[in-house]
């Protein structure tokens, strides 16, 4: 049996399909009709269907690619179109990053003249306040785009090869103690007296474990009291999920409903200052509350989600259940909290030891 079989598509003559009989997979290529007839990879059967590969082949008009000198803007637009076909989750964020920080510097230049100095100029032009993680996302986006350009034959090499991603420092995970719980309660009380909506938001996050972006995107029509859950349409993973309404959450919802004037189903759970807009992230009131009650100044809204997960694990809730409560796509993301269950493991180990001792005694 041959390792691979190469055939031309019956619909698009310059679309080449390379099949691998041993795995049942295949790869899609386009071959130019002029010049060096370089074969350009479109993707694999795991990334594209045959129809999508045909669309890519027609859209890119391969026979004329070798004669065209493309700008960075044109290559990025094509890179985005491929990402949209593959349902790439981060494509919208990448478009915003490109238009804000990359396009003004190198967008109009030919992709063939871009060198490491141009990439450094883009990276140096990023806002100083950006985190290491965000800077890495910019570099990863540029790297993916230039590698796409090399694959398509628009340029000879990737100019980002001389730059490395900076090692990211993991955010501190706060240990759940009685002191931390007490100070969080004090912070909520202070916020209730000065910024009631923010106080309700903090309580809501602590009682549901939601991401703040998920909470601020909720409308009253997403709240189902009969089924006792909240439907989240805007999630990090892009998948709709349901969050159970517990007693603490139900109390917050009641307070919000009482304080919402002209209550309508399609209004925001946490409305903002501007009409028709949700609340923006209330960072300043939260920082003030942390300062007043003695919480760490670096404590973020996202840390409330970690604290919720930590409480779950320390209370003996199985990791699989915690994964579903948090909406993690993989159990590996939830396993970071496994060390917090050390006491439970110790108790379980002692129970096994006692059972084994009884069993051995009975046999003697």
């Amino acid at each position: 049996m041959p390792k691979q079989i190469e055939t031309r598509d019956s619909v698009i003559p310059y679309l080449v399909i390379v099949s691998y009989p041993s795995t049942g997979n295949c790869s899609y290529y386009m071959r130019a009709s002029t010049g060096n007839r370089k074969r350009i990879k479109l993707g694999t059967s795991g990334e594209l269907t045959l129809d999508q590969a045909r669309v890519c082949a027609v859209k890119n008009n391969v026979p004329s690619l070798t004669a065209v000198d493309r700008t960075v803007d044109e290559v990025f637009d094509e890179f985005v179109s491929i990402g949209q076909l593959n349902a790439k989750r981060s494509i919208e964020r990448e478009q915003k990053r490109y238009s804000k920080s990359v396009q003004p510097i190198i967008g109009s230049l030919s992709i063939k003249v871009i060198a490491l100095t141009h990439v450094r100029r883009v990276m140096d032009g990023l806002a100083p306040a950006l985190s290491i993680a965000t800077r890495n996302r910019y570099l990863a986006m540029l790297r993916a785009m230039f590698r796409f350009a090399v694959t398509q034959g628009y340029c000879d090499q990737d100019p980002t090869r001389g730059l490395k991603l900076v090692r990211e420092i993991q955010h501190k995970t706060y240990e759940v103690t009685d002191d931390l719980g007490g100070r969080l309660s004090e912070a909520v009380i202070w916020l209730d007296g000065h910024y009631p909506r923010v106080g309700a938001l903090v309580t809501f996050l602590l009682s549901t474990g939601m991401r703040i972006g998920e909470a601020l995107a909720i409308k009253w029509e997403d709240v189902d009291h009969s089924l006792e859950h909240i439907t989240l349409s805007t999630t990090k993973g892009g998948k709709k999920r349901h969050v159970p309404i517990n007693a603490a959450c139900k109390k917050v919802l009641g307070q919000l409903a009482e304080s919402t004037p002209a209550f309508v189903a399609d209004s925001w759970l946490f409305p903002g200052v501007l009409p028709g807009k949700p609340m923006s992230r209330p960072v300043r009131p939260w920082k003030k509350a942390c300062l007043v009650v003695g919480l760490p100044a670096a404590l973020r809204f996202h840390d409330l989600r970690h604290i919720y997960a930590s409480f779950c694990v320390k209370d003996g809730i199985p990791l699989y259940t915690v994964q579903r409560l948090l909406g993690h796509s993989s159990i590996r993301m939830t396993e970071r909290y496994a060390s917090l269950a050390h006491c439970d493991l110790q108790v379980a180990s002692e129970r096994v030891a006692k059972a084994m001792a009884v069993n051995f005694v009975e046999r003697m």
Side-chain angles (χ1 to χ4, degrees), residues 133-171:
T134 303
R135 289 176 176 274
N136 281 342
R137 302 300 174 271
Y138 273 93
L139 181 56
M141 175 190 70
L142 290 171
R143 183 166 294 167
M145 179 187 69
F146 282 114
R147 287 180 178 176
F148 167 79
V150 172
T151 304
Q152 299 296 89
Y154 300 150
C155 60
D156 296 328
Q157 60 182 6
D158 172 16
T160 67
R161 289 184 304 171
L163 294 177
K164 293 183 179 180
L165 297 175
V166 181
R167 184 176 180 180
E168 298 177 18
I169 301 173
Q170 295 294 327
H171 283 282

Side-chain angles (χ1 to χ4, degrees), residues 18 34 48 76 79 81 83 118-119 127 136 162-163 169 182 215 218 240 291-292 314 321 327-328 330:
V18 179
T34 58
L48 299 171
F76 183 77
F79 170 72
S81 67
H118 294 93
V119 179
N136 281 342
L163 294 177
I169 301 173
I218 297 173
K240 185 180 293 187
L291 180 64
V292 170
K314 293 195 75 171
T321 304
H328 284 163
S330 169

Side-chain angles (χ1 to χ4, degrees), residues 31-325:
R31 191 185 294 280
S33 59
T34 58
N36 60 9
R37 292 177 59 78
K38 183 175 180 180
R39 195 165 72 172
I40 302 165
K41 186 174 182 180
L42 280 175
T44 66
S45 55
E47 301 167 338
L48 299 171
T49 63
L50 177 57
D51 287 339
Q52 288 174 332
R54 287 169 176 166
V55 170
C56 290
V58 173
K59 188 170 184 177
N60 290 305
N61 193 20
V62 174
S64 63
L65 286 183
T66 55
V68 176
D69 185 10
R70 303 219 166 188
T71 65
V72 177
D73 278 346
E74 291 171 335
V75 173
F76 183 77
D77 288 341
E78 195 172 320
F79 170 72
V80 167
S81 67
I82 297 295
Q84 290 171 335
L85 279 173
N86 293 333
K88 187 178 180 182
R89 290 189 322 195
S90 61
I91 203 67
E92 289 186 8
R93 290 195 298 271
E94 290 183 349
Q95 285 178 291
K96 291 178 182 178
R97 288 169 181 162
Y98 179 85
S99 60
K100 180 180 180 180
S101 303
V102 181
Q103 188 176 38
I105 299 176
I106 62 173
S108 61
L109 300 179
S110 167
I111 192 74
K112 294 180 179 179
V113 304
I114 302 299
L116 178 60
T117 53
H118 294 93
V119 179
R120 288 189 183 278
R121 197 181 308 161
V122 172
M123 297 302 295
D124 292 342
L126 298 178
L130 290 181
S131 65
I132 292 176
T134 303
R135 289 176 176 274
N136 281 342
R137 302 300 174 271
Y138 273 93
L139 181 56
M141 175 190 70
L142 290 171
R143 183 166 294 167
M145 179 187 69
F146 282 114
R147 287 180 178 176
F148 167 79
V150 172
T151 304
Q152 299 296 89
Y154 300 150
C155 60
D156 296 328
Q157 60 182 6
D158 172 16
T160 67
R161 289 184 304 171
L163 294 177
K164 293 183 179 180
L165 297 175
V166 181
R167 184 176 180 180
E168 298 177 18
I169 301 173
Q170 295 294 327
H171 283 282
K172 178 181 178 181
T173 301
Y174 294 92
E175 183 181 357
V176 176
T177 61
D178 291 340
D179 179 66
L180 178 64
R183 291 181 189 275
L184 284 171
S185 298
E186 292 176 16
V188 170
I189 293 172
W190 186 88
L191 286 168
D192 285 341
H194 296 79
Y195 305 94
R197 286 275 175 181
V198 181
L201 174 63
V202 172
T203 305
F204 187 78
L205 295 175
L206 283 169
S207 61
T208 61
M210 289 186 196
R211 300 176 180 91
I212 186 170
E214 295 172 340
L216 295 180
I218 297 173
K219 291 187 174 182
W220 281 105
E221 61 188 2
D222 300 321
V223 180
D224 191 329
H225 286 286
S226 60
L227 296 177
E228 295 192 325
H229 70 221
I230 298 172
T231 301
L232 300 182
S233 301
T234 304
T235 64
K236 184 178 179 180
K239 296 181 180 180
K240 185 180 293 187
R241 69 184 181 95
H242 303 292
V243 176
I245 299 175
N246 54 34
C249 179
K250 189 177 295 184
K251 183 178 179 181
V252 174
L253 291 174
Q255 294 171 346
L256 290 172
E258 289 177 2
S259 61
T260 301
F263 178 81
V264 289
D266 64 347
S267 60
W268 300 102
L269 193 65
F270 296 98
V273 177
L274 298 176
K277 298 290 183 180
M279 179 193 293
S280 58
R281 301 193 181 199
V283 177
R284 289 185 180 179
W286 172 243
K287 293 299 181 185
K288 287 181 181 178
C290 290
L291 180 64
V292 170
V293 303
L295 284 169
L299 189 69
R300 308 163 300 158
F301 282 116
H302 197 74
D303 290 319
L304 303 181
R305 177 172 164 86
H306 294 314
I307 291 169
Y308 171 85
S310 300
F311 268 115
C312 287
V313 174
K314 293 195 75 171
D315 200 47
I317 297 175
L319 285 181
Y320 177 71
T321 304
V322 178
Q323 176 196 355
R324 296 185 63 189
L325 286 171

Side-chain angles (χ1 to χ4, degrees), residues 332-348:
R332 292 183 62 185
M333 300 175 68
T334 319
E335 285 175 349
R336 75 181 79 174
Y337 306 106
S339 60
L340 298 174
H342 172 73
C343 294
D344 299 322
L345 294 176
Q346 186 68 35
V347 171

